[in-house]
Amino acid sequence: MKPSLFVALFTALLPFGAEGAEVTFTAPNASDKFTDRLRSASLSLSTAAREDSTAQDLLAAAQSDYARLIGVLYAEGYYGGVITIRVDGKEAANIPPLRAPAEIRQIDITVERHDKFLFGIARVAPVPPNAELPEKFATGKGARGDLIGEAARSGVSAWRDAGHAKADITDQSITADHADKTLDADIALSPGPRLRFGRFEIESPAPARRASRVRESRIRAIAGLPTGKTFSPEALNKSAARLRRTGAFRSVVVTEAETPNPDGTLDITTRVVDAKRRRVGAGAELSSLEGLTLTGFWLHRNLLGGAERLRFDAMVGGIGGNSGGEDFRLSGRFERPATITPDTSLFLLASIKEDNEPDYRERSIEIGGGFSHVFSKTLTAEAGISYLYSDIEDDLGSRSLQHLLLPLRATWDRRDNALNAKSGQFVDLSLKPFVGLEQDSGSGARLFADARTYHSFGAADGVTLAARAQLGSVAGADIREVPADMLFYSGGAGTVRGQSYQSLGVDLSPGVTVGGRSFMGFSGEVRADVTTSIQAVTFADTGFVGQDSFGTGKGEWHSGAGIGARYMTGVGPLRVDLATPLDGDAGRDFELYIGIGQAF
């Protein structure tokens, strides 16, 4: 090789700096929104913004932008557009990649859309009667390129929903007529045979990987694949979701066999990787009045080889606070998935606790069990039976109660994010009938509902309105005949911020304050994003506690309001709220609350 040729090649490959490179972007007659889409697709803009970009990087980015920007034009129905990309005055496409200039100072990008094309022929066939193709994929409508792919996928999905698992595209003809400014899109589908679910196979792990500790019989029972039934993508997705829901697996992959069996069935294979068998966690929440609350849990997955789960939770609250004293709770819960049906789990529970509250002290033991059922992605419910022993000291004196509980609970959750919701709704409804097992223990029912809704608006949905309503009632038993923690108080982080913890109850007579048999609580928040990590909040809460079951008799309201801030972390928002009462000591007393997660 001649020295001059070697030096030229070596020089072309050197990573010369691109410091100071400027990129201009022009899209004549385009809207700001469309121009933003083009700019977002440009690799030149993002590459020039990097401090470590070289001239070689910039040239490669400029040359790749032709295809990237054409993709945006086609997606919006512009098939006659012209793209010009000049690197220091030279068309980027004409610069050999191995002869990049030593320095690039200017890249000028111009995108001319020209006229928008309309669909001439817009056809996907054959499709089943219930197929729903995109409404805008029709003759005379704007010929957006992304609509073609969406229509084809919709047709294939409709056949798969009808049991034709191997439906596919067999032919496609896409022709642009520049004279008439029309685009003909003709997609041919082949539905293939209607199939039924076949065998559910569990893939053997690679030699270097350990087989799942969960028994194969239990994996099949949990998945609940309807073998012999007509193929359904929804049923297949449910099977995978059931396996993931157990928490026993770090990953779950479900695949369809490439070729159906001669008998019209399609085998399904799953590959699972076990999650770590044990997990521990801890949390803390601080209130200026209630003090410090510490929580922790220990979790054992796949306890008996059937994806069972055993969890112990512990809590110590009221540390250093002025809320009656320290509270202690220890509970355990065992769950066995796929009991009775694939979506039904058996649970057993036990708990022991001591509550030292401003108006009472209660020690209790509860033992029970029941079943939980997943009806859909958004609706779950559980029913059970348990024995509860309570030892109570309050202004009514000392007493021991024994009850048989029959708790029912349903949760409907359509929030986009449980820890930091910006849209959706949440409803938690519990009904707890109870039967007294001795003379001083009453019989009746406790009802409690917690409903929340969220709505966001503004740039990037940066402002969120959050509202919450809580309603509760204890019917059929006198106040002294039920455990103290089944009655209602208001005040504190979970009800009315700014008011002292459980400061609102029912005054039966001078010096005798107990919980009420009815409760109403309402909260509203405005959450505004200041940055991607910081959120400012204003809020107001109000609560009512009544002596009677339905709030018709003696009762009282109180309210609070304040401001707060949220710092987004990987485990949820770090919450800081400062609140004051709106009655009584309004504007003079302040309460500080610190915790993880939004207030509701």
Side-chain angles (χ1 to χ4, degrees):
M1 178 179 291
K2 295 181 179 180
S4 59
L5 180 60
F6 175 82
V7 171
L9 180 59
F10 181 76
T11 302
L13 296 176
L14 277 176
F16 289 103
E19 184 178 356
E22 181 181 354
V23 180
T24 64
F25 200 101
T26 306
N29 302 319
S31 65
D32 291 342
K33 184 177 181 180
F34 188 80
T35 301
D36 288 342
R37 285 199 60 187
L38 291 168
R39 292 176 64 88
S40 298
S42 173
L43 194 58
S44 297
L45 287 168
S46 58
T47 302
R50 290 184 3 227
E51 294 182 359
D52 60 344
S53 297
T54 66
Q56 191 77 36
D57 295 333
L58 280 173
L59 178 60
Q63 291 178 336
S64 69
D65 271 352
Y66 289 104
R68 296 169 70 92
L69 296 174
I70 285 174
V72 176
L73 292 176
Y74 284 6
E76 291 295 324
Y78 298 97
Y79 299 92
V82 176
I83 297 172
T84 302
I85 303 176
R86 297 190 180 276
V87 177
D88 288 335
K90 297 180 181 180
E91 191 67 35
N94 297 330
I95 301 176
L98 294 181
R99 295 182 61 186
E103 185 179 17
I104 294 177
R105 292 191 174 278
Q106 183 76 32
I107 299 178
D108 300 302
I109 302 175
T110 302
V111 180
E112 300 179 47
R113 297 184 305 175
H114 293 176
D115 295 331
K116 191 169 188 175
F117 281 49
L118 304 178
F119 279 120
I121 297 173
R123 179 168 53 218
V124 174
V127 293
N130 63 337
E132 295 184 5
L133 301 182
E135 184 179 352
K136 294 183 179 180
F137 182 72
T139 299
K141 300 288 187 180
R144 287 170 40 199
D146 54 0
L147 285 173
I148 301 173
E150 185 181 346
R153 290 189 296 270
S154 297
V156 170
S157 295
W159 279 118
R160 283 175 56 82
D161 290 340
H164 298 260
K166 296 304 176 182
D168 203 357
I169 299 172
T170 56
D171 194 18
Q172 55 183 326
S173 175
I174 302 174
T175 306
D177 188 329
H178 288 262
D180 293 338
K181 301 294 187 295
T182 59
L183 184 78
D184 293 338
D186 195 355
I187 312 296
L189 303 182
S190 172
R194 197 163 188 252
L195 302 175
R196 293 171 286 113
F197 282 116
R199 295 183 298 272
F200 186 70
E201 304 288 353
I202 300 171
E203 184 177 295
S204 299
R209 182 172 292 170
R210 181 174 180 173
S212 174
R213 293 187 176 91
V214 182
R215 299 188 300 275
E216 290 192 0
S217 60
R218 289 292 296 151
I219 293 176
R220 291 189 174 91
I222 294 167
L225 189 77
T227 300
K229 301 293 185 180
T230 300
F231 173 86
S232 165
E234 182 180 2
L236 192 62
N237 292 336
K238 280 186 176 181
S239 293
R242 291 177 184 127
L243 290 169
R244 296 186 185 104
R245 196 165 59 220
T246 64
F249 307 108
R250 180 163 54 88
S251 70
V252 176
V253 179
V254 177
T255 56
E256 306 166 19
E258 290 290 334
T259 306
N261 298 318
D263 61 355
T265 60
L266 183 68
D267 294 339
I268 304 298
T269 300
T270 185
R271 182 173 69 254
V272 298
V273 178
D274 287 355
K276 291 183 178 179
R277 300 187 72 183
R278 297 172 185 85
R279 181 185 174 192
V280 296
E285 185 158 346
L286 177 66
S287 168
S288 56
L289 181 63
E290 298 166 44
L292 177 66
T293 299
L294 299 176
T295 59
F297 72 86
W298 180 86
L299 173 67
H300 192 301
R301 300 183 176 101
N302 193 32
L303 182 66
L304 303 175
E308 302 88 358
R309 181 160 59 175
L310 177 64
R311 173 169 171 150
F312 290 101
D313 286 89
M315 185 277 287
V316 180
I319 302 172
N322 187 23
S323 57
E326 285 79 19
D327 302 325
F328 306 93
R329 297 184 186 181
L330 178 64
S331 64
R333 181 173 172 125
F334 169 85
E335 294 185 13
R336 181 184 186 271
T339 303
I340 303 178
T341 77
D343 291 313
T344 306
S345 298
L346 167 72
F347 67 86
L348 303 173
L349 59 84
S351 69
I352 180 170
K353 65 180 182 178
E354 177 177 342
D355 291 333
N356 290 286
E357 306 297 350
D359 292 320
Y360 69 89
R361 180 198 60 79
E362 178 178 352
R363 296 186 177 97
S364 64
I365 298 174
E366 183 177 0
I367 301 174
F371 295 95
S372 60
H373 187 82
V374 178
F375 290 94
S376 67
K377 291 181 179 179
T378 58
L379 180 62
T380 60
E382 66 179 42
I385 183 171
S386 62
Y387 165 79
L388 175 65
Y389 171 83
S390 307
D391 182 73
I392 305 165
E393 293 179 9
D394 58 15
D395 289 346
L396 298 176
S398 300
R399 59 195 181 279
S400 296
L401 305 177
Q402 297 186 60
H403 288 92
L404 182 68
L405 309 180
L406 302 169
L408 304 169
R409 183 175 182 179
T411 302
W412 183 65
D413 191 349
R414 296 189 63 185
R415 294 173 294 180
D416 61 334
N417 185 322
L419 292 177
N420 184 29
K422 284 185 168 291
S423 64
Q425 297 80 37
F426 173 87
V427 178
D428 188 15
L429 181 65
S430 62
L431 175 63
K432 187 182 293 184
F434 53 88
V435 178
L437 298 180
E438 57 182 11
Q439 184 176 359
D440 294 333
S441 304
S443 299
R446 184 184 193 268
L447 175 67
F448 186 76
D450 183 354
R452 312 172 192 178
T453 185
Y454 308 87
H455 175 70
S456 297
F457 61 91
D461 286 338
V463 179
T464 300
L465 303 180
R468 180 186 195 183
Q470 301 177 81
L471 303 173
S473 176
V474 175
D478 187 71
I479 285 177
R480 67 177 61 244
E481 296 177 332
V482 298
D485 74 341
M486 288 178 62
L487 299 173
F488 300 102
Y489 293 86
S490 183
T495 51
V496 178
R497 288 163 286 182
Q499 297 285 351
S500 299
Y501 176 66
Q502 292 196 358
S503 58
L504 183 61
V506 173
D507 296 326
L508 297 182
S509 61
V512 179
T513 301
V514 295
R517 293 199 298 162
S518 60
F519 170 70
M520 290 183 285
F522 303 95
S523 299
E525 287 192 347
V526 179
R527 307 168 184 167
D529 294 339
V530 179
T531 68
T532 56
S533 301
I534 298 175
Q535 191 178 71
V537 179
T538 61
F539 58 86
D541 305 330
T542 187
F544 170 86
V545 175
Q547 181 176 343
D548 296 337
S549 300
F550 302 102
T552 55
K554 183 179 180 181
E556 189 176 347
W557 289 88
H558 67 174
S559 304
I563 58 175
R566 310 287 185 263
Y567 180 77
M568 304 304 164
T569 71
V571 294
L574 176 63
R575 169 172 44 91
V576 178
D577 285 336
L578 183 65
T580 185
L582 293 181
D583 42 40
D585 294 324
R588 295 193 297 272
D589 286 349
F590 292 90
E591 303 294 343
L592 177 68
Y593 307 92
I594 301 174
I596 293 291
Q598 296 285 4
F600 60 89

PDB file of all heavy atoms in Angstrom, residues 19 23 68 91 99 102 116 168 209 217 311 410 422 452 459 462-463 487 505 522-523 533 541 545 557:
ATOM      1  N   GLU A  19     -17.492  19.097  17.757  1.00  0.00           N
ATOM      2  CA  GLU A  19     -17.890  20.178  18.644  1.00  0.00           C
ATOM      3  C   GLU A  19     -18.306  21.402  17.826  1.00  0.00           C
ATOM      4  O   GLU A  19     -17.635  21.805  16.878  1.00  0.00           O
ATOM      5  CB  GLU A  19     -16.723  20.533  19.563  1.00  0.00           C
ATOM      6  CG  GLU A  19     -17.075  21.597  20.586  1.00  0.00           C
ATOM      7  CD  GLU A  19     -15.920  21.884  21.515  1.00  0.00           C
ATOM      8  OE1 GLU A  19     -14.897  21.192  21.392  1.00  0.00           O
ATOM      9  OE2 GLU A  19     -16.042  22.799  22.345  1.00  0.00           O
ATOM     10  N   VAL A  23     -27.363  22.022  13.600  1.00  0.00           N
ATOM     11  CA  VAL A  23     -28.341  21.363  12.734  1.00  0.00           C
ATOM     12  C   VAL A  23     -29.554  22.272  12.607  1.00  0.00           C
ATOM     13  O   VAL A  23     -30.152  22.668  13.612  1.00  0.00           O
ATOM     14  CB  VAL A  23     -28.766  19.990  13.295  1.00  0.00           C
ATOM     15  CG1 VAL A  23     -29.777  19.330  12.360  1.00  0.00           C
ATOM     16  CG2 VAL A  23     -27.552  19.087  13.484  1.00  0.00           C
ATOM     17  N   ARG A  68     -35.377   7.478   7.873  1.00  0.00           N
ATOM     18  CA  ARG A  68     -36.169   7.761   9.063  1.00  0.00           C
ATOM     19  C   ARG A  68     -37.241   8.812   8.775  1.00  0.00           C
ATOM     20  O   ARG A  68     -38.387   8.696   9.214  1.00  0.00           O
ATOM     21  CB  ARG A  68     -35.255   8.222  10.203  1.00  0.00           C
ATOM     22  CG  ARG A  68     -34.269   7.162  10.654  1.00  0.00           C
ATOM     23  CD  ARG A  68     -33.217   7.738  11.601  1.00  0.00           C
ATOM     24  NE  ARG A  68     -33.810   8.085  12.878  1.00  0.00           N
ATOM     25  CZ  ARG A  68     -33.870   7.283  13.932  1.00  0.00           C
ATOM     26  NH1 ARG A  68     -33.367   6.048  13.847  1.00  0.00           N
ATOM     27  NH2 ARG A  68     -34.397   7.682  15.065  1.00  0.00           N
ATOM     28  N   GLU A  91     -24.707  17.349  -0.429  1.00  0.00           N
ATOM     29  CA  GLU A  91     -25.765  16.384  -0.151  1.00  0.00           C
ATOM     30  C   GLU A  91     -25.163  15.185   0.576  1.00  0.00           C
ATOM     31  O   GLU A  91     -24.188  14.568   0.108  1.00  0.00           O
ATOM     32  CB  GLU A  91     -26.445  15.942  -1.449  1.00  0.00           C
ATOM     33  CG  GLU A  91     -27.721  15.137  -1.239  1.00  0.00           C
ATOM     34  CD  GLU A  91     -28.839  15.971  -0.627  1.00  0.00           C
ATOM     35  OE1 GLU A  91     -28.931  17.188  -0.940  1.00  0.00           O
ATOM     36  OE2 GLU A  91     -29.622  15.409   0.158  1.00  0.00           O
ATOM     37  N   ARG A  99     -15.115   8.598   3.638  1.00  0.00           N
ATOM     38  CA  ARG A  99     -14.420   9.856   3.349  1.00  0.00           C
ATOM     39  C   ARG A  99     -15.130  11.011   4.045  1.00  0.00           C
ATOM     40  O   ARG A  99     -15.371  12.068   3.472  1.00  0.00           O
ATOM     41  CB  ARG A  99     -14.339  10.079   1.834  1.00  0.00           C
ATOM     42  CG  ARG A  99     -13.481   9.029   1.116  1.00  0.00           C
ATOM     43  CD  ARG A  99     -13.385   9.310  -0.351  1.00  0.00           C
ATOM     44  NE  ARG A  99     -12.769  10.612  -0.624  1.00  0.00           N
ATOM     45  CZ  ARG A  99     -12.665  11.147  -1.848  1.00  0.00           C
ATOM     46  NH1 ARG A  99     -13.140  10.473  -2.900  1.00  0.00           N
ATOM     47  NH2 ARG A  99     -12.096  12.319  -2.022  1.00  0.00           N
ATOM     48  N   ALA A 102     -13.108  16.007   7.945  1.00  0.00           N
ATOM     49  CA  ALA A 102     -12.450  16.042   9.251  1.00  0.00           C
ATOM     50  C   ALA A 102     -13.285  16.776  10.281  1.00  0.00           C
ATOM     51  O   ALA A 102     -13.201  16.502  11.481  1.00  0.00           O
ATOM     52  CB  ALA A 102     -11.077  16.705   9.117  1.00  0.00           C
ATOM     53  N   LYS A 116     -50.890  15.374   0.024  1.00  0.00           N
ATOM     54  CA  LYS A 116     -51.225  14.156   0.757  1.00  0.00           C
ATOM     55  C   LYS A 116     -52.001  13.204  -0.148  1.00  0.00           C
ATOM     56  O   LYS A 116     -52.888  13.622  -0.887  1.00  0.00           O
ATOM     57  CB  LYS A 116     -52.071  14.490   1.992  1.00  0.00           C
ATOM     58  CG  LYS A 116     -52.248  13.339   2.964  1.00  0.00           C
ATOM     59  CD  LYS A 116     -52.867  13.823   4.265  1.00  0.00           C
ATOM     60  CE  LYS A 116     -52.871  12.719   5.313  1.00  0.00           C
ATOM     61  NZ  LYS A 116     -53.367  13.205   6.614  1.00  0.00           N
ATOM     62  N   ASP A 168     -52.582 -15.595   8.588  1.00  0.00           N
ATOM     63  CA  ASP A 168     -51.401 -14.834   8.215  1.00  0.00           C
ATOM     64  C   ASP A 168     -51.659 -14.061   6.927  1.00  0.00           C
ATOM     65  O   ASP A 168     -52.657 -14.309   6.222  1.00  0.00           O
ATOM     66  CB  ASP A 168     -50.207 -15.757   8.025  1.00  0.00           C
ATOM     67  CG  ASP A 168     -48.875 -15.032   8.183  1.00  0.00           C
ATOM     68  OD1 ASP A 168     -48.901 -13.806   8.386  1.00  0.00           O
ATOM     69  OD2 ASP A 168     -47.833 -15.703   8.094  1.00  0.00           O
ATOM     70  N   ARG A 209     -29.139 -24.649  33.336  1.00  0.00           N
ATOM     71  CA  ARG A 209     -30.172 -23.998  34.136  1.00  0.00           C
ATOM     72  C   ARG A 209     -30.972 -25.044  34.898  1.00  0.00           C
ATOM     73  O   ARG A 209     -31.325 -26.089  34.371  1.00  0.00           O
ATOM     74  CB  ARG A 209     -31.095 -23.176  33.238  1.00  0.00           C
ATOM     75  CG  ARG A 209     -32.176 -22.429  33.996  1.00  0.00           C
ATOM     76  CD  ARG A 209     -32.914 -21.497  33.069  1.00  0.00           C
ATOM     77  NE  ARG A 209     -32.059 -20.398  32.633  1.00  0.00           N
ATOM     78  CZ  ARG A 209     -32.383 -19.554  31.677  1.00  0.00           C
ATOM     79  NH1 ARG A 209     -33.524 -19.683  31.041  1.00  0.00           N
ATOM     80  NH2 ARG A 209     -31.564 -18.580  31.325  1.00  0.00           N
ATOM     81  N   SER A 217     -47.292 -30.634  37.508  1.00  0.00           N
ATOM     82  CA  SER A 217     -48.741 -30.767  37.651  1.00  0.00           C
ATOM     83  C   SER A 217     -49.361 -29.471  38.163  1.00  0.00           C
ATOM     84  O   SER A 217     -50.463 -29.086  37.749  1.00  0.00           O
ATOM     85  CB  SER A 217     -49.089 -31.923  38.593  1.00  0.00           C
ATOM     86  OG  SER A 217     -48.528 -31.701  39.890  1.00  0.00           O
ATOM     87  N   ARG A 311     -46.374 -15.329  53.819  1.00  0.00           N
ATOM     88  CA  ARG A 311     -45.870 -13.982  54.105  1.00  0.00           C
ATOM     89  C   ARG A 311     -46.173 -13.604  55.544  1.00  0.00           C
ATOM     90  O   ARG A 311     -47.293 -13.796  56.024  1.00  0.00           O
ATOM     91  CB  ARG A 311     -46.496 -12.974  53.147  1.00  0.00           C
ATOM     92  CG  ARG A 311     -46.163 -11.521  53.481  1.00  0.00           C
ATOM     93  CD  ARG A 311     -46.571 -10.585  52.389  1.00  0.00           C
ATOM     94  NE  ARG A 311     -46.435  -9.186  52.801  1.00  0.00           N
ATOM     95  CZ  ARG A 311     -46.173  -8.175  51.998  1.00  0.00           C
ATOM     96  NH1 ARG A 311     -46.014  -8.401  50.699  1.00  0.00           N
ATOM     97  NH2 ARG A 311     -46.075  -6.947  52.446  1.00  0.00           N
ATOM     98  N   ALA A 410     -64.504  -6.848  47.734  1.00  0.00           N
ATOM     99  CA  ALA A 410     -64.338  -6.752  46.286  1.00  0.00           C
ATOM    100  C   ALA A 410     -63.535  -5.502  45.966  1.00  0.00           C
ATOM    101  O   ALA A 410     -63.751  -4.446  46.559  1.00  0.00           O
ATOM    102  CB  ALA A 410     -65.695  -6.698  45.585  1.00  0.00           C
ATOM    103  N   LYS A 422     -52.487   8.668  37.595  1.00  0.00           N
ATOM    104  CA  LYS A 422     -52.804   9.888  36.865  1.00  0.00           C
ATOM    105  C   LYS A 422     -54.164   9.799  36.180  1.00  0.00           C
ATOM    106  O   LYS A 422     -54.723  10.811  35.759  1.00  0.00           O
ATOM    107  CB  LYS A 422     -51.719  10.188  35.830  1.00  0.00           C
ATOM    108  CG  LYS A 422     -50.440  10.766  36.421  1.00  0.00           C
ATOM    109  CD  LYS A 422     -49.457  11.147  35.342  1.00  0.00           C
ATOM    110  CE  LYS A 422     -48.317  11.988  35.890  1.00  0.00           C
ATOM    111  NZ  LYS A 422     -48.736  13.336  36.312  1.00  0.00           N
ATOM    112  N   ARG A 452     -62.029   6.146  44.657  1.00  0.00           N
ATOM    113  CA  ARG A 452     -61.082   7.176  44.235  1.00  0.00           C
ATOM    114  C   ARG A 452     -61.177   7.351  42.719  1.00  0.00           C
ATOM    115  O   ARG A 452     -61.452   6.394  41.989  1.00  0.00           O
ATOM    116  CB  ARG A 452     -59.644   6.784  44.612  1.00  0.00           C
ATOM    117  CG  ARG A 452     -59.515   6.317  46.044  1.00  0.00           C
ATOM    118  CD  ARG A 452     -58.128   5.758  46.320  1.00  0.00           C
ATOM    119  NE  ARG A 452     -58.078   5.046  47.597  1.00  0.00           N
ATOM    120  CZ  ARG A 452     -57.010   4.434  48.079  1.00  0.00           C
ATOM    121  NH1 ARG A 452     -55.876   4.463  47.381  1.00  0.00           N
ATOM    122  NH2 ARG A 452     -57.052   3.797  49.242  1.00  0.00           N
ATOM    123  N   ALA A 459     -50.032  19.986  29.563  1.00  0.00           N
ATOM    124  CA  ALA A 459     -48.890  19.464  28.820  1.00  0.00           C
ATOM    125  C   ALA A 459     -48.386  18.184  29.468  1.00  0.00           C
ATOM    126  O   ALA A 459     -48.070  18.155  30.651  1.00  0.00           O
ATOM    127  CB  ALA A 459     -47.773  20.515  28.790  1.00  0.00           C
ATOM    128  N   GLY A 462     -49.528  16.968  32.947  1.00  0.00           N
ATOM    129  CA  GLY A 462     -48.731  17.372  34.098  1.00  0.00           C
ATOM    130  C   GLY A 462     -49.519  17.790  35.312  1.00  0.00           C
ATOM    131  O   GLY A 462     -48.946  17.966  36.391  1.00  0.00           O
ATOM    132  N   VAL A 463     -50.845  17.970  35.175  1.00  0.00           N
ATOM    133  CA  VAL A 463     -51.687  18.338  36.312  1.00  0.00           C
ATOM    134  C   VAL A 463     -52.697  17.219  36.545  1.00  0.00           C
ATOM    135  O   VAL A 463     -53.405  16.809  35.613  1.00  0.00           O
ATOM    136  CB  VAL A 463     -52.414  19.674  36.077  1.00  0.00           C
ATOM    137  CG1 VAL A 463     -53.303  20.012  37.265  1.00  0.00           C
ATOM    138  CG2 VAL A 463     -51.414  20.791  35.823  1.00  0.00           C
ATOM    139  N   LEU A 487     -65.044   0.311  64.993  1.00  0.00           N
ATOM    140  CA  LEU A 487     -65.742   1.595  65.004  1.00  0.00           C
ATOM    141  C   LEU A 487     -64.905   2.626  64.245  1.00  0.00           C
ATOM    142  O   LEU A 487     -63.793   2.353  63.804  1.00  0.00           O
ATOM    143  CB  LEU A 487     -65.992   2.038  66.446  1.00  0.00           C
ATOM    144  CG  LEU A 487     -66.854   1.087  67.282  1.00  0.00           C
ATOM    145  CD1 LEU A 487     -66.889   1.524  68.730  1.00  0.00           C
ATOM    146  CD2 LEU A 487     -68.268   0.981  66.701  1.00  0.00           C
ATOM    147  N   GLY A 505     -64.326  11.555  67.477  1.00  0.00           N
ATOM    148  CA  GLY A 505     -65.104  10.346  67.746  1.00  0.00           C
ATOM    149  C   GLY A 505     -66.505  10.752  68.145  1.00  0.00           C
ATOM    150  O   GLY A 505     -67.052  11.742  67.648  1.00  0.00           O
ATOM    151  N   PHE A 522     -64.031  12.780  52.842  1.00  0.00           N
ATOM    152  CA  PHE A 522     -63.850  13.233  51.466  1.00  0.00           C
ATOM    153  C   PHE A 522     -62.522  13.978  51.364  1.00  0.00           C
ATOM    154  O   PHE A 522     -62.189  14.805  52.225  1.00  0.00           O
ATOM    155  CB  PHE A 522     -64.997  14.149  51.030  1.00  0.00           C
ATOM    156  CG  PHE A 522     -66.356  13.513  51.146  1.00  0.00           C
ATOM    157  CD1 PHE A 522     -67.134  13.712  52.290  1.00  0.00           C
ATOM    158  CD2 PHE A 522     -66.840  12.688  50.150  1.00  0.00           C
ATOM    159  CE1 PHE A 522     -68.380  13.120  52.413  1.00  0.00           C
ATOM    160  CE2 PHE A 522     -68.077  12.083  50.271  1.00  0.00           C
ATOM    161  CZ  PHE A 522     -68.856  12.300  51.396  1.00  0.00           C
ATOM    162  N   SER A 523     -61.768  13.695  50.310  1.00  0.00           N
ATOM    163  CA  SER A 523     -60.465  14.321  50.107  1.00  0.00           C
ATOM    164  C   SER A 523     -60.304  14.714  48.649  1.00  0.00           C
ATOM    165  O   SER A 523     -60.787  14.019  47.745  1.00  0.00           O
ATOM    166  CB  SER A 523     -59.330  13.360  50.496  1.00  0.00           C
ATOM    167  OG  SER A 523     -59.403  13.007  51.860  1.00  0.00           O
ATOM    168  N   SER A 533     -39.183  14.751  38.195  1.00  0.00           N
ATOM    169  CA  SER A 533     -38.982  14.067  39.481  1.00  0.00           C
ATOM    170  C   SER A 533     -39.711  14.721  40.646  1.00  0.00           C
ATOM    171  O   SER A 533     -39.872  14.097  41.690  1.00  0.00           O
ATOM    172  CB  SER A 533     -37.479  14.006  39.815  1.00  0.00           C
ATOM    173  OG  SER A 533     -36.754  13.324  38.824  1.00  0.00           O
ATOM    174  N   ASP A 541     -59.171  18.003  53.088  1.00  0.00           N
ATOM    175  CA  ASP A 541     -59.868  16.807  53.583  1.00  0.00           C
ATOM    176  C   ASP A 541     -60.980  17.230  54.536  1.00  0.00           C
ATOM    177  O   ASP A 541     -60.863  18.258  55.223  1.00  0.00           O
ATOM    178  CB  ASP A 541     -58.905  15.883  54.347  1.00  0.00           C
ATOM    179  CG  ASP A 541     -57.680  15.476  53.543  1.00  0.00           C
ATOM    180  OD1 ASP A 541     -57.794  15.397  52.312  1.00  0.00           O
ATOM    181  OD2 ASP A 541     -56.630  15.236  54.169  1.00  0.00           O
ATOM    182  N   VAL A 545     -68.022  11.810  61.757  1.00  0.00           N
ATOM    183  CA  VAL A 545     -68.228  10.604  62.562  1.00  0.00           C
ATOM    184  C   VAL A 545     -69.560  10.751  63.285  1.00  0.00           C
ATOM    185  O   VAL A 545     -69.818  11.776  63.936  1.00  0.00           O
ATOM    186  CB  VAL A 545     -67.089  10.395  63.570  1.00  0.00           C
ATOM    187  CG1 VAL A 545     -67.393   9.198  64.477  1.00  0.00           C
ATOM    188  CG2 VAL A 545     -65.762  10.191  62.846  1.00  0.00           C
ATOM    189  N   TRP A 557     -68.530  17.132  62.160  1.00  0.00           N
ATOM    190  CA  TRP A 557     -67.591  17.240  61.045  1.00  0.00           C
ATOM    191  C   TRP A 557     -66.329  17.958  61.514  1.00  0.00           C
ATOM    192  O   TRP A 557     -66.353  18.772  62.430  1.00  0.00           O
ATOM    193  CB  TRP A 557     -68.192  18.063  59.901  1.00  0.00           C
ATOM    194  CG  TRP A 557     -69.306  17.392  59.143  1.00  0.00           C
ATOM    195  CD1 TRP A 557     -70.635  17.417  59.445  1.00  0.00           C
ATOM    196  CD2 TRP A 557     -69.170  16.626  57.949  1.00  0.00           C
ATOM    197  NE1 TRP A 557     -71.354  16.706  58.509  1.00  0.00           N
ATOM    198  CE2 TRP A 557     -70.467  16.215  57.581  1.00  0.00           C
ATOM    199  CE3 TRP A 557     -68.095  16.245  57.159  1.00  0.00           C
ATOM    200  CZ2 TRP A 557     -70.724  15.438  56.450  1.00  0.00           C
ATOM    201  CZ3 TRP A 557     -68.335  15.471  56.023  1.00  0.00           C
ATOM    202  CH2 TRP A 557     -69.636  15.067  55.678  1.00  0.00           C
TER     203      TRP A 557
END
